[in-house]
Amino acid sequence: MINNIPVSEIMTKEVVTVDVTADLKSIHHIIMNQNIRHIPVMEKNKVTGIISKTDYLRLTFGTIFEDAEQTNEAVMEIFELNDLMVRNPYTVSSETTILVVMEIFISHEFHAVPVVDNGKLVGILSVSDVFRYFSEKLKK
């Protein structure tokens, strides 16, 4: 049952990351063009932060008005990734159970957690991964 299933069975293993020195234009490209909602921020091969699509969109105007793109570019010049990312994000190991991570999502109102083993990023688990897993199980 769910009590024993490790996150390694359902996590996303090919994780898109950015370096802590990345500019917000790079973040914009990843979020908008690759449809990635949570991006671990790396420094010297260690997870030092995470930025979400929601964090990024709070800063921009999206398509609210005609010149939004120019305004967004100006905003991206003012702020840096360090201004938006969550530093030292909560992480779990690949052996953490799905149930434990669901409790973390609920109690901390997170939508994703990096999966780290021995200091190395090995995946990311999001609420969508959990929903996808249960949706597939319910179809059987």
Side-chain angles (χ1 to χ4, degrees):
M1 184 71 193
I2 184 174
N3 295 341
N4 302 349
I5 301 170
V7 299
S8 60
E9 289 191 25
I10 67 167
M11 69 185 185
T12 300
K13 294 177 180 155
E14 294 189 22
V15 184
V16 173
T17 65
V18 293
D19 189 78
V20 70
T21 61
D23 61 22
L24 292 182
K25 288 181 183 181
S26 301
I27 304 302
H28 172 85
H29 176 75
I30 293 168
I31 288 171
M32 298 308 189
N33 297 335
Q34 296 182 42
N35 199 28
I36 305 286
R37 290 180 297 199
H38 303 94
I39 310 167
V41 179
M42 308 296 287
E43 185 173 17
K44 298 179 183 172
N45 295 321
K46 302 273 186 214
V47 177
T48 60
I50 191 167
I51 184 162
S52 71
K53 182 176 184 176
T54 304
D55 297 331
Y56 172 76
L57 290 177
R58 280 190 197 115
L59 181 68
T60 66
F61 292 96
T63 57
I64 293 175
F65 51 91
E66 278 185 40
D67 295 331
E69 191 64 35
Q70 289 177 330
T71 304
N72 289 342
E73 286 184 25
V75 169
M76 285 187 263
E77 294 293 325
I78 296 170
F79 292 96
E80 295 181 353
L81 178 56
N82 272 320
D83 298 323
L84 299 179
M85 72 180 197
V86 173
R87 288 177 181 75
N88 303 313
Y90 200 98
T91 63
V92 297
S93 78
S94 62
E95 294 305 311
T96 305
T97 66
I98 297 171
L99 180 59
V100 168
V101 175
M102 288 171 59
E103 291 170 350
I104 291 167
F105 287 161
I106 293 166
S107 64
H108 296 288
E109 297 184 12
F110 295 155
H111 296 108
V113 290
V115 182
V116 176
D117 286 341
N118 300 317
K120 182 180 177 201
L121 180 68
V122 296
I124 189 166
L125 186 75
S126 70
V127 170
S128 296
D129 294 321
V130 175
F131 283 157
R132 191 175 304 110
Y133 172 78
F134 284 110
S135 174
E136 289 171 8
K137 289 294 181 190
L138 290 171
K139 288 177 185 176
K140 292 181 180 180

